[in-house]
Amino acid sequence: MNQLFDGVIPETQAPWPSRDGLRITRVRPIVTAPEGVPLVVVRVDTSEPGLYGLGCATFTQRFHSVAETVEKHVAPMLIGRHPADIEDITRMVHLSSYWRGGPVLNNALSGVDQALWDIAGKRAGMPVYELLGGRVRAAAALYLHASGASIEETLERARQIMATGVTHVRVQVGQPGLGSYGAPGVGGAYPGHPHPDGWDVQHYLRTTPELFARARAELGEEVRLLHDVHHRLTVKQAIGLARRLEPFRLFFLEDPIPLELYDRLPELREAAPMPIAVGEQAGSVADAARLVSRGGVDILRLHVSAIGGLTPARKLVALCELTGVGTAWHAPADVSPVGAAANVALDVTTPAFAIQEGHVYNDATHEVFPGTLAPRDGYLYPHDAPGWGVDLDETAAAEHPPATHLFERWAATVRRPDGGIEAP
Ligand code: MG
């Protein structure tokens, strides 16, 4: 440390001579919310006119922090570096903060990392999936979300999704009060309680098997059904729910318990009859690796930008391949189309792939991000264009500024009927 403060600090310089003189000239975050959800993308420009890359750095709940980190801390380290030195640059950014990891720093890192892969693809004239060793499948099968205020509404939505060729459907049904995760509730369901719009765990545990009994009976035997608990149960409650859901043959049960209880995932996994999918809250590559190496997951779900981007994700993919764990990357509305393209590049290049969470982006998102992937008959096909094949129209992006305090205000309302806070 003393060395740093004793002398004049030189500008960041390349640690070895450049082969061709190419260098990074500018690094900046772009925040846009064409669907209301703040998306953060990092753009890395180079000394070659027209050669730039885009990377997903989307952490919707703390997007200001990520943008500041990119601009104030990460960008100064990259100017002058060769964009092909991805491993060295990402290790340098990761190690440089001394206290490492966490979703803010990792999303900033991911924005840079994925932008460098985009540049590498554009330089090579190849889609990123070819740089990763080429495809092992033509496309990634996806699942979509069917949610409703009632079981009837949820099943109707599931039928609409299945009619588009999608064979994997996540079903969630609303609850009194707050609703379950991903499905609307009925307000004022607990009059006389401190928090009439609360979420009652016992009601959820009683009605979720009913939802799946109806789903299996009415949607048929072939559809793959999935469910996201969203980390609201104790270990015993989760085991009880998993056992009651056994007859309905879930493709996976997602996030049954909170992050703080992950040490008990092997116990839960042992007792649960269906695959357990966990990982979207992992905020470091080391945490994600421990989930796999300690036998905590059947299917690893990562918010790829939250663990630092494509470069660390590739290493976890290799670990999954070697240990028989599947992959199912997190990708609802709070992953940018650039991040979604990176997910698909991983999906089509690994035998560990299990399923891809999908999202049908609105028209405004397609306008902001030309090249946004759209499902076709239940699959996401990667672009053949060099890099990710996804661009960003900054004029269109500027027309969709993020709302202020959206998540902060909503999270404060997520409570049980007695007023106690609940995981949003
Ligand atoms: Mg989830």
Side-chain angles (χ1 to χ4, degrees):
M1 277 300 200
N2 287 338
Q3 216 181 352
L4 179 67
F5 296 111
D6 283 349
V8 177
I9 303 168
E11 283 186 23
T12 306
Q13 290 178 352
W16 38 73
S18 165
R19 179 170 64 82
D20 54 11
L22 185 66
R23 64 188 191 283
I24 295 170
T25 54
R26 196 176 181 198
V27 178
R28 61 201 166 92
I30 297 156
V31 180
T32 182
E35 267 188 47
V37 177
L39 305 174
V40 187
V41 169
V42 172
R43 173 167 162 150
V44 174
D45 285 273
T46 73
S47 54
E48 185 179 316
L51 178 62
Y52 62 91
L54 299 171
C56 184
T58 301
F59 180 3
T60 51
Q61 294 84 348
R62 296 293 184 272
F63 65 94
H64 289 300
S65 305
V66 175
E68 281 277 296
T69 300
V70 170
E71 202 175 317
K72 304 279 176 57
H73 298 296
V74 176
M77 304 179 71
L78 267 62
I79 308 303
R81 293 296 312 267
H82 197 292
D85 293 337
I86 301 175
E87 183 73 30
D88 183 72
I89 289 173
T90 54
R91 276 177 62 75
M92 174 185 70
V93 172
H94 176 64
L95 296 173
S96 67
S97 62
Y98 192 66
W99 285 277
R100 313 192 274 262
V104 171
L105 298 180
N106 278 343
N107 269 286
L109 176 58
S110 169
V112 167
D113 171 72
Q114 291 186 3
L116 296 180
W117 280 99
D118 195 21
I119 291 170
K122 288 173 176 174
R123 292 179 70 220
M126 295 158 71
V128 175
Y129 68 77
E130 288 190 356
L131 298 181
L132 300 181
R135 279 185 282 187
V136 297
R137 58 180 51 79
L142 62 89
Y143 72 89
L144 291 176
H145 303 175
S147 302
S150 65
I151 293 178
E152 288 73 22
E153 258 186 53
T154 298
L155 298 188
E156 182 49 33
R157 179 70 193 123
R159 284 188 201 95
Q160 291 167 2
I161 289 170
M162 292 162 66
T164 67
V166 173
T167 53
H168 297 66
V169 186
R170 191 191 83 171
V171 291
Q172 315 280 134
V173 70
Q175 302 283 309
L178 178 70
S180 67
Y181 177 72
V186 181
Y190 300 102
H193 289 255
H195 197 70
D197 287 339
W199 180 83
D200 179 57
V201 65
Q202 293 304 329
H203 191 278
Y204 169 78
L205 290 171
R206 192 170 68 251
T207 53
T208 302
E210 186 186 330
L211 164 67
F212 276 87
R214 294 262 314 264
R216 187 49 84 199
E218 296 179 32
L219 300 178
E221 293 298 317
E222 291 299 321
V223 63
R224 276 77 158 178
L225 298 172
L226 299 76
H227 185 67
D228 187 357
V229 178
H230 227 241
H231 7 85
R232 287 184 179 176
L233 300 179
T234 66
V235 176
K236 287 287 186 187
Q237 287 169 341
I239 290 173
L241 177 65
R243 287 181 173 157
R244 286 197 292 281
L245 293 177
E246 181 171 14
F248 314 117
R249 296 176 291 103
L250 269 64
F251 184 83
F252 69 51
L253 183 65
E254 177 182 343
D255 283 337
I257 59 174
L259 183 74
E260 293 79 6
L261 301 180
Y262 277 4
D263 283 351
R264 295 184 66 186
L265 277 170
E267 173 191 343
L268 167 64
R269 190 169 157 237
E270 181 74 23
M274 72 285 286
I276 298 297
V278 169
E280 71 187 48
Q281 283 191 308
S284 81
V285 69
D287 286 347
R290 273 192 286 273
L291 282 175
V292 177
S293 63
R294 294 183 181 174
V297 287
D298 295 289
I299 295 176
L300 184 66
R301 279 177 58 70
L302 297 174
H303 187 86
V304 165
S305 61
I307 57 116
L310 186 82
T311 299
R314 288 180 74 207
K315 297 169 186 178
L316 289 162
V317 165
L319 184 62
C320 288
E321 288 177 7
L322 296 171
T323 52
V325 168
T327 68
W329 310 133
H330 182 245
D334 55 356
V335 171
S336 76
V338 176
N343 286 339
V344 173
L346 287 167
D347 294 338
V348 299
T349 52
T350 175
F353 170 76
I355 191 69
Q356 176 58 57
E357 183 171 28
H359 176 68
V360 181
Y361 290 100
N362 68 1
D363 291 345
T365 305
H366 282 268
E367 193 184 326
V368 172
F369 294 95
T372 293
L373 293 176
R376 239 165 55 214
D377 298 326
Y379 286 91
L380 286 166
Y381 289 80
H383 279 296
D384 292 334
W388 302 127
V390 178
D391 208 349
L392 173 56
D393 179 335
E394 293 191 50
T395 307
E399 289 171 15
H400 304 282
T404 307
H405 304 149
L406 183 72
F407 286 96
E408 292 82 350
R409 288 182 177 148
W410 173 71
T413 68
V414 181
R415 294 182 179 277
R416 297 194 173 199
D418 68 1
I421 199 81
E422 182 52 83

